[in-house]
């Protein structure tokens, strides 16, 4: 099968297109023909060696944790899937090896696989797994946002932020979304009230919610929570996926949970959640996709299409 691998740590320059053997299918795994794979900041960090001291790595590594595709076959311990099922999967493993989504086929642990929302294309759905898990676990588990509450989302037009906005709206919350002026129409379409970054952010939020918001979710880091200090009410909850260790804030690190991912796909099935795709590249141009992603100038998810 065709796959993109890296044989040493680095940036896009270390990627190469190659041929690998078809992966074996374990008892509780499903073999998926990958149609699209989404890019994430975590993928780039792992590829650069940022977690070398924490994660065992066996080169060559196939990058890519988020995939959408079609089941080729399932192991005897994965009877909930059968050939032809359209699925999405989060294929992060305990070790880094030739097992990622930048390949024609991947054997995925069934615990990381759910059915693809019928409302989404493969390209859109490939942008869902990690962003959805992060947003859902930040809003529902860490912040416990409830119907009728108000929540401020930093980076509201980004990959995680835009999903968070839609989950919060579906939860019945009032959402204030921080984003650049160019994204305000998009944020309104998602159901958020947009505000711009910069000095005076807290005052702009308080002009909309004078008592202060009930919860704040930071998806961008870089002092975002500090910039909005005073925008939350007394006792308001704070969480960040991007800046750990901020006093008074809960750190959010996504982990695979089928119930959480299924809950998000149900929102998509109901027409309450979409993924904005900003750029699409063929597998052969995976390095170009990473370069585009690294600029931060792509509005929406960057996705590699395969096959």
């Amino acid at each position: 099968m065709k796959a993109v691998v890296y044989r040493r740590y680095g940036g896009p320059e270390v990627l190469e297109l190659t041929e690998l053997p078809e992966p074996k299918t374990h008892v509780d795994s499903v073999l998926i023909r990958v149609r699209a794979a989404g890019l994430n900041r975590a993928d780039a960090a792992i590829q650069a060696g940022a977690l070398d001291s924490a994660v065992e790595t066996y080169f060559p590594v196939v990058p890519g944790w988020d995939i959408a595709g079609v089941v080729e076959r399932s192991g005897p311990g994965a009877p909930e899937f059968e050939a032809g099922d359209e699925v999405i999967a989060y294929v992060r493993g305990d070790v880094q090896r030739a097992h990622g989504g930048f390949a024609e086929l991947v054997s995925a642990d069934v615990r990381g696989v759910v059915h693809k929302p019928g409302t989404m294309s493969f390209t859109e759905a490939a942008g869902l797994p990690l962003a959805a898990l992060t947003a859902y676990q930040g809003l529902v588990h860490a912040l416990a946002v409830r119907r009728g509450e108000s929540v401020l989302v930093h980076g509201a037009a980004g990959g995680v932020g835009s999903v968070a906005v839609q989950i919060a709206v579906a939860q019945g919350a009032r959402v204030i979304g921080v984003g650049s002026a160019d994204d305000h129409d998009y944020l309104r379409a998602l159901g958020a009230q947009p505000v711009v970054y910069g000095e005076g952010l807290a005052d702009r939020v308080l002009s909309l919610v004078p008592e202060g918001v009930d919860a704040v979710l930071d998806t961008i880091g870089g002092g975002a929570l500090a910039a909005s200090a005073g925008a939350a009410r007394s006792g308001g909850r704070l969480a960040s996926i991007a800046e750990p260790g901020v006093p008074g804030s809960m750190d959010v690190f996504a982990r695979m949970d089928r119930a959480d991912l299924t809950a998000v796909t149900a929102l998509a099935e109901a027409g309450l959640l979409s993924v904005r795709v900003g750029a699409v590249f063929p597998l052969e141009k995976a390095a170009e996709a990473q370069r585009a992603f690294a600029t931060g100038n792509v509005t929406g998810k960057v996705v590699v299409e395969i096959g």
Side-chain angles (χ1 to χ4, degrees), residues 271-300:
L272 299 175
L273 191 148
S274 62
V275 171
R276 180 162 65 164
V277 176
V280 179
F281 296 84
L283 180 64
E284 293 77 8
K285 295 188 176 180
E288 191 174 326
Q290 286 192 345
R291 291 188 181 96
F293 179 78
T295 67
N297 295 327
V298 177
T299 303

PDB file of all heavy atoms in Angstrom, residues 271-300:
ATOM      1  N   GLY A 271     -27.622  17.461  12.294  1.00  0.00           N
ATOM      2  CA  GLY A 271     -27.455  18.724  11.596  1.00  0.00           C
ATOM      3  C   GLY A 271     -27.049  19.873  12.496  1.00  0.00           C
ATOM      4  O   GLY A 271     -27.178  21.037  12.115  1.00  0.00           O
ATOM      5  N   LEU A 272     -26.526  19.550  13.685  1.00  0.00           N
ATOM      6  CA  LEU A 272     -26.171  20.580  14.652  1.00  0.00           C
ATOM      7  C   LEU A 272     -24.666  20.859  14.688  1.00  0.00           C
ATOM      8  O   LEU A 272     -24.224  21.706  15.464  1.00  0.00           O
ATOM      9  CB  LEU A 272     -26.632  20.166  16.053  1.00  0.00           C
ATOM     10  CG  LEU A 272     -28.144  19.963  16.206  1.00  0.00           C
ATOM     11  CD1 LEU A 272     -28.469  19.433  17.603  1.00  0.00           C
ATOM     12  CD2 LEU A 272     -28.883  21.272  15.949  1.00  0.00           C
ATOM     13  N   LEU A 273     -23.901  20.149  13.880  1.00  0.00           N
ATOM     14  CA  LEU A 273     -22.450  20.326  13.925  1.00  0.00           C
ATOM     15  C   LEU A 273     -21.854  20.066  12.546  1.00  0.00           C
ATOM     16  O   LEU A 273     -22.218  19.093  11.881  1.00  0.00           O
ATOM     17  CB  LEU A 273     -21.847  19.353  14.955  1.00  0.00           C
ATOM     18  CG  LEU A 273     -20.371  19.558  15.326  1.00  0.00           C
ATOM     19  CD1 LEU A 273     -20.143  19.144  16.772  1.00  0.00           C
ATOM     20  CD2 LEU A 273     -19.456  18.762  14.419  1.00  0.00           C
ATOM     21  N   SER A 274     -20.954  20.950  12.153  1.00  0.00           N
ATOM     22  CA  SER A 274     -20.256  20.803  10.872  1.00  0.00           C
ATOM     23  C   SER A 274     -18.771  21.069  11.080  1.00  0.00           C
ATOM     24  O   SER A 274     -18.361  21.590  12.119  1.00  0.00           O
ATOM     25  CB  SER A 274     -20.829  21.771   9.831  1.00  0.00           C
ATOM     26  OG  SER A 274     -20.644  23.110  10.260  1.00  0.00           O
ATOM     27  N   VAL A 275     -17.969  20.700  10.092  1.00  0.00           N
ATOM     28  CA  VAL A 275     -16.527  20.944  10.127  1.00  0.00           C
ATOM     29  C   VAL A 275     -16.168  21.819   8.931  1.00  0.00           C
ATOM     30  O   VAL A 275     -16.548  21.511   7.796  1.00  0.00           O
ATOM     31  CB  VAL A 275     -15.737  19.621  10.059  1.00  0.00           C
ATOM     32  CG1 VAL A 275     -14.241  19.888   9.869  1.00  0.00           C
ATOM     33  CG2 VAL A 275     -15.968  18.796  11.322  1.00  0.00           C
ATOM     34  N   ARG A 276     -15.469  22.903   9.198  1.00  0.00           N
ATOM     35  CA  ARG A 276     -15.025  23.775   8.111  1.00  0.00           C
ATOM     36  C   ARG A 276     -13.680  23.288   7.593  1.00  0.00           C
ATOM     37  O   ARG A 276     -12.710  23.222   8.349  1.00  0.00           O
ATOM     38  CB  ARG A 276     -14.924  25.225   8.588  1.00  0.00           C
ATOM     39  CG  ARG A 276     -14.472  26.172   7.477  1.00  0.00           C
ATOM     40  CD  ARG A 276     -14.768  27.632   7.769  1.00  0.00           C
ATOM     41  NE  ARG A 276     -14.036  28.165   8.895  1.00  0.00           N
ATOM     42  CZ  ARG A 276     -13.920  29.480   9.127  1.00  0.00           C
ATOM     43  NH1 ARG A 276     -14.495  30.354   8.316  1.00  0.00           N
ATOM     44  NH2 ARG A 276     -13.250  29.903  10.170  1.00  0.00           N
ATOM     45  N   VAL A 277     -13.624  22.939   6.330  1.00  0.00           N
ATOM     46  CA  VAL A 277     -12.383  22.473   5.706  1.00  0.00           C
ATOM     47  C   VAL A 277     -11.756  23.641   4.952  1.00  0.00           C
ATOM     48  O   VAL A 277     -12.400  24.267   4.102  1.00  0.00           O
ATOM     49  CB  VAL A 277     -12.651  21.300   4.756  1.00  0.00           C
ATOM     50  CG1 VAL A 277     -11.364  20.891   4.034  1.00  0.00           C
ATOM     51  CG2 VAL A 277     -13.221  20.112   5.532  1.00  0.00           C
ATOM     52  N   GLY A 278     -10.497  23.921   5.263  1.00  0.00           N
ATOM     53  CA  GLY A 278      -9.840  25.070   4.653  1.00  0.00           C
ATOM     54  C   GLY A 278      -8.950  24.743   3.479  1.00  0.00           C
ATOM     55  O   GLY A 278      -8.760  25.576   2.583  1.00  0.00           O
ATOM     56  N   ALA A 279      -8.369  23.540   3.459  1.00  0.00           N
ATOM     57  CA  ALA A 279      -7.463  23.164   2.381  1.00  0.00           C
ATOM     58  C   ALA A 279      -7.393  21.647   2.283  1.00  0.00           C
ATOM     59  O   ALA A 279      -7.428  20.955   3.300  1.00  0.00           O
ATOM     60  CB  ALA A 279      -6.060  23.738   2.615  1.00  0.00           C
ATOM     61  N   VAL A 280      -7.300  21.154   1.052  1.00  0.00           N
ATOM     62  CA  VAL A 280      -7.257  19.711   0.802  1.00  0.00           C
ATOM     63  C   VAL A 280      -6.070  19.416  -0.112  1.00  0.00           C
ATOM     64  O   VAL A 280      -5.851  20.110  -1.118  1.00  0.00           O
ATOM     65  CB  VAL A 280      -8.562  19.225   0.141  1.00  0.00           C
ATOM     66  CG1 VAL A 280      -8.499  17.724  -0.127  1.00  0.00           C
ATOM     67  CG2 VAL A 280      -9.761  19.553   1.028  1.00  0.00           C
ATOM     68  N   PHE A 281      -5.304  18.386   0.242  1.00  0.00           N
ATOM     69  CA  PHE A 281      -4.136  17.987  -0.543  1.00  0.00           C
ATOM     70  C   PHE A 281      -4.193  16.482  -0.793  1.00  0.00           C
ATOM     71  O   PHE A 281      -4.698  15.729   0.048  1.00  0.00           O
ATOM     72  CB  PHE A 281      -2.840  18.314   0.209  1.00  0.00           C
ATOM     73  CG  PHE A 281      -2.610  19.781   0.432  1.00  0.00           C
ATOM     74  CD1 PHE A 281      -3.202  20.434   1.512  1.00  0.00           C
ATOM     75  CD2 PHE A 281      -1.803  20.516  -0.422  1.00  0.00           C
ATOM     76  CE1 PHE A 281      -3.000  21.789   1.739  1.00  0.00           C
ATOM     77  CE2 PHE A 281      -1.582  21.880  -0.205  1.00  0.00           C
ATOM     78  CZ  PHE A 281      -2.185  22.519   0.871  1.00  0.00           C
ATOM     79  N   PRO A 282      -3.644  16.014  -1.920  1.00  0.00           N
ATOM     80  CA  PRO A 282      -3.528  14.571  -2.126  1.00  0.00           C
ATOM     81  C   PRO A 282      -2.422  14.001  -1.250  1.00  0.00           C
ATOM     82  O   PRO A 282      -1.534  14.745  -0.785  1.00  0.00           O
ATOM     83  CB  PRO A 282      -3.192  14.455  -3.614  1.00  0.00           C
ATOM     84  CG  PRO A 282      -2.484  15.724  -3.941  1.00  0.00           C
ATOM     85  CD  PRO A 282      -3.130  16.777  -3.074  1.00  0.00           C
ATOM     86  N   LEU A 283      -2.457  12.701  -1.040  1.00  0.00           N
ATOM     87  CA  LEU A 283      -1.455  12.057  -0.182  1.00  0.00           C
ATOM     88  C   LEU A 283      -0.041  12.379  -0.645  1.00  0.00           C
ATOM     89  O   LEU A 283       0.852  12.596   0.183  1.00  0.00           O
ATOM     90  CB  LEU A 283      -1.676  10.538  -0.202  1.00  0.00           C
ATOM     91  CG  LEU A 283      -0.706   9.701   0.641  1.00  0.00           C
ATOM     92  CD1 LEU A 283      -0.863  10.030   2.119  1.00  0.00           C
ATOM     93  CD2 LEU A 283      -0.942   8.203   0.405  1.00  0.00           C
ATOM     94  N   GLU A 284       0.161  12.425  -1.956  1.00  0.00           N
ATOM     95  CA  GLU A 284       1.495  12.668  -2.494  1.00  0.00           C
ATOM     96  C   GLU A 284       2.036  14.049  -2.094  1.00  0.00           C
ATOM     97  O   GLU A 284       3.236  14.305  -2.188  1.00  0.00           O
ATOM     98  CB  GLU A 284       1.476  12.559  -4.027  1.00  0.00           C
ATOM     99  CG  GLU A 284       1.198  11.154  -4.546  1.00  0.00           C
ATOM    100  CD  GLU A 284      -0.270  10.749  -4.452  1.00  0.00           C
ATOM    101  OE1 GLU A 284      -1.103  11.631  -4.114  1.00  0.00           O
ATOM    102  OE2 GLU A 284      -0.585   9.579  -4.691  1.00  0.00           O
ATOM    103  N   LYS A 285       1.145  14.947  -1.694  1.00  0.00           N
ATOM    104  CA  LYS A 285       1.570  16.287  -1.298  1.00  0.00           C
ATOM    105  C   LYS A 285       1.361  16.520   0.202  1.00  0.00           C
ATOM    106  O   LYS A 285       1.028  17.616   0.651  1.00  0.00           O
ATOM    107  CB  LYS A 285       0.825  17.341  -2.119  1.00  0.00           C
ATOM    108  CG  LYS A 285       1.170  17.280  -3.603  1.00  0.00           C
ATOM    109  CD  LYS A 285       0.580  18.440  -4.375  1.00  0.00           C
ATOM    110  CE  LYS A 285       1.025  18.388  -5.842  1.00  0.00           C
ATOM    111  NZ  LYS A 285       0.482  19.504  -6.638  1.00  0.00           N
ATOM    112  N   ALA A 286       1.584  15.461   0.980  1.00  0.00           N
ATOM    113  CA  ALA A 286       1.409  15.569   2.431  1.00  0.00           C
ATOM    114  C   ALA A 286       2.343  16.610   3.037  1.00  0.00           C
ATOM    115  O   ALA A 286       1.970  17.334   3.969  1.00  0.00           O
ATOM    116  CB  ALA A 286       1.637  14.203   3.076  1.00  0.00           C
ATOM    117  N   ALA A 287       3.566  16.689   2.525  1.00  0.00           N
ATOM    118  CA  ALA A 287       4.500  17.687   3.049  1.00  0.00           C
ATOM    119  C   ALA A 287       3.989  19.102   2.789  1.00  0.00           C
ATOM    120  O   ALA A 287       4.089  19.991   3.646  1.00  0.00           O
ATOM    121  CB  ALA A 287       5.883  17.499   2.420  1.00  0.00           C
ATOM    122  N   GLU A 288       3.420  19.298   1.596  1.00  0.00           N
ATOM    123  CA  GLU A 288       2.855  20.609   1.282  1.00  0.00           C
ATOM    124  C   GLU A 288       1.681  20.919   2.214  1.00  0.00           C
ATOM    125  O   GLU A 288       1.487  22.068   2.646  1.00  0.00           O
ATOM    126  CB  GLU A 288       2.398  20.623  -0.181  1.00  0.00           C
ATOM    127  CG  GLU A 288       2.031  21.990  -0.712  1.00  0.00           C
ATOM    128  CD  GLU A 288       1.738  21.969  -2.192  1.00  0.00           C
ATOM    129  OE1 GLU A 288       2.380  21.189  -2.923  1.00  0.00           O
ATOM    130  OE2 GLU A 288       0.845  22.730  -2.609  1.00  0.00           O
ATOM    131  N   ALA A 289       0.905  19.897   2.542  1.00  0.00           N
ATOM    132  CA  ALA A 289      -0.208  20.083   3.480  1.00  0.00           C
ATOM    133  C   ALA A 289       0.314  20.524   4.845  1.00  0.00           C
ATOM    134  O   ALA A 289      -0.241  21.438   5.470  1.00  0.00           O
ATOM    135  CB  ALA A 289      -0.995  18.779   3.604  1.00  0.00           C
ATOM    136  N   GLN A 290       1.387  19.885   5.301  1.00  0.00           N
ATOM    137  CA  GLN A 290       1.950  20.282   6.597  1.00  0.00           C
ATOM    138  C   GLN A 290       2.486  21.707   6.565  1.00  0.00           C
ATOM    139  O   GLN A 290       2.367  22.445   7.549  1.00  0.00           O
ATOM    140  CB  GLN A 290       3.055  19.304   7.001  1.00  0.00           C
ATOM    141  CG  GLN A 290       2.539  17.948   7.471  1.00  0.00           C
ATOM    142  CD  GLN A 290       3.632  17.130   8.141  1.00  0.00           C
ATOM    143  OE1 GLN A 290       4.823  17.429   8.024  1.00  0.00           O
ATOM    144  NE2 GLN A 290       3.225  16.077   8.825  1.00  0.00           N
ATOM    145  N   ARG A 291       3.088  22.084   5.446  1.00  0.00           N
ATOM    146  CA  ARG A 291       3.608  23.457   5.350  1.00  0.00           C
ATOM    147  C   ARG A 291       2.455  24.462   5.399  1.00  0.00           C
ATOM    148  O   ARG A 291       2.552  25.499   6.058  1.00  0.00           O
ATOM    149  CB  ARG A 291       4.422  23.628   4.068  1.00  0.00           C
ATOM    150  CG  ARG A 291       5.737  22.853   4.070  1.00  0.00           C
ATOM    151  CD  ARG A 291       6.607  23.199   2.864  1.00  0.00           C
ATOM    152  NE  ARG A 291       7.859  22.418   2.887  1.00  0.00           N
ATOM    153  CZ  ARG A 291       8.036  21.284   2.233  1.00  0.00           C
ATOM    154  NH1 ARG A 291       7.064  20.796   1.460  1.00  0.00           N
ATOM    155  NH2 ARG A 291       9.172  20.626   2.330  1.00  0.00           N
ATOM    156  N   ALA A 292       1.390  24.162   4.695  1.00  0.00           N
ATOM    157  CA  ALA A 292       0.231  25.058   4.713  1.00  0.00           C
ATOM    158  C   ALA A 292      -0.350  25.148   6.113  1.00  0.00           C
ATOM    159  O   ALA A 292      -0.703  26.232   6.602  1.00  0.00           O
ATOM    160  CB  ALA A 292      -0.827  24.551   3.723  1.00  0.00           C
ATOM    161  N   PHE A 293      -0.426  24.010   6.785  1.00  0.00           N
ATOM    162  CA  PHE A 293      -0.960  23.975   8.154  1.00  0.00           C
ATOM    163  C   PHE A 293      -0.095  24.808   9.097  1.00  0.00           C
ATOM    164  O   PHE A 293      -0.600  25.538   9.949  1.00  0.00           O
ATOM    165  CB  PHE A 293      -1.029  22.525   8.622  1.00  0.00           C
ATOM    166  CG  PHE A 293      -1.547  22.340  10.018  1.00  0.00           C
ATOM    167  CD1 PHE A 293      -2.904  22.410  10.280  1.00  0.00           C
ATOM    168  CD2 PHE A 293      -0.676  22.090  11.070  1.00  0.00           C
ATOM    169  CE1 PHE A 293      -3.390  22.237  11.570  1.00  0.00           C
ATOM    170  CE2 PHE A 293      -1.152  21.918  12.361  1.00  0.00           C
ATOM    171  CZ  PHE A 293      -2.505  21.989  12.613  1.00  0.00           C
ATOM    172  N   ALA A 294       1.225  24.693   8.915  1.00  0.00           N
ATOM    173  CA  ALA A 294       2.145  25.379   9.821  1.00  0.00           C
ATOM    174  C   ALA A 294       2.061  26.897   9.705  1.00  0.00           C
ATOM    175  O   ALA A 294       2.397  27.610  10.653  1.00  0.00           O
ATOM    176  CB  ALA A 294       3.572  24.919   9.547  1.00  0.00           C
ATOM    177  N   THR A 295       1.619  27.409   8.561  1.00  0.00           N
ATOM    178  CA  THR A 295       1.532  28.864   8.419  1.00  0.00           C
ATOM    179  C   THR A 295       0.479  29.459   9.341  1.00  0.00           C
ATOM    180  O   THR A 295       0.553  30.629   9.712  1.00  0.00           O
ATOM    181  CB  THR A 295       1.172  29.253   6.964  1.00  0.00           C
ATOM    182  OG1 THR A 295      -0.157  28.812   6.669  1.00  0.00           O
ATOM    183  CG2 THR A 295       2.163  28.670   5.970  1.00  0.00           C
ATOM    184  N   GLY A 296      -0.530  28.650   9.683  1.00  0.00           N
ATOM    185  CA  GLY A 296      -1.623  29.179  10.485  1.00  0.00           C
ATOM    186  C   GLY A 296      -2.556  30.076   9.704  1.00  0.00           C
ATOM    187  O   GLY A 296      -3.461  30.684  10.276  1.00  0.00           O
ATOM    188  N   ASN A 297      -2.344  30.149   8.406  1.00  0.00           N
ATOM    189  CA  ASN A 297      -3.156  31.050   7.581  1.00  0.00           C
ATOM    190  C   ASN A 297      -4.336  30.355   6.907  1.00  0.00           C
ATOM    191  O   ASN A 297      -5.104  31.014   6.195  1.00  0.00           O
ATOM    192  CB  ASN A 297      -2.284  31.692   6.500  1.00  0.00           C
ATOM    193  CG  ASN A 297      -1.223  32.602   7.085  1.00  0.00           C
ATOM    194  OD1 ASN A 297      -1.447  33.243   8.117  1.00  0.00           O
ATOM    195  ND2 ASN A 297      -0.056  32.637   6.449  1.00  0.00           N
ATOM    196  N   VAL A 298      -4.457  29.055   7.077  1.00  0.00           N
ATOM    197  CA  VAL A 298      -5.577  28.335   6.475  1.00  0.00           C
ATOM    198  C   VAL A 298      -6.783  28.436   7.403  1.00  0.00           C
ATOM    199  O   VAL A 298      -6.706  28.089   8.582  1.00  0.00           O
ATOM    200  CB  VAL A 298      -5.227  26.857   6.235  1.00  0.00           C
ATOM    201  CG1 VAL A 298      -6.429  26.112   5.666  1.00  0.00           C
ATOM    202  CG2 VAL A 298      -4.027  26.736   5.302  1.00  0.00           C
ATOM    203  N   THR A 299      -7.879  28.905   6.872  1.00  0.00           N
ATOM    204  CA  THR A 299      -9.107  29.025   7.662  1.00  0.00           C
ATOM    205  C   THR A 299      -9.877  27.724   7.561  1.00  0.00           C
ATOM    206  O   THR A 299     -10.508  27.429   6.555  1.00  0.00           O
ATOM    207  CB  THR A 299      -9.968  30.192   7.145  1.00  0.00           C
ATOM    208  OG1 THR A 299      -9.196  31.390   7.193  1.00  0.00           O
ATOM    209  CG2 THR A 299     -11.212  30.357   7.996  1.00  0.00           C
ATOM    210  N   GLY A 300      -9.814  26.921   8.612  1.00  0.00           N
ATOM    211  CA  GLY A 300     -10.467  25.617   8.613  1.00  0.00           C
ATOM    212  C   GLY A 300      -9.446  24.496   8.635  1.00  0.00           C
ATOM    213  O   GLY A 300      -8.232  24.719   8.645  1.00  0.00           O
TER     214      GLY A 300
END
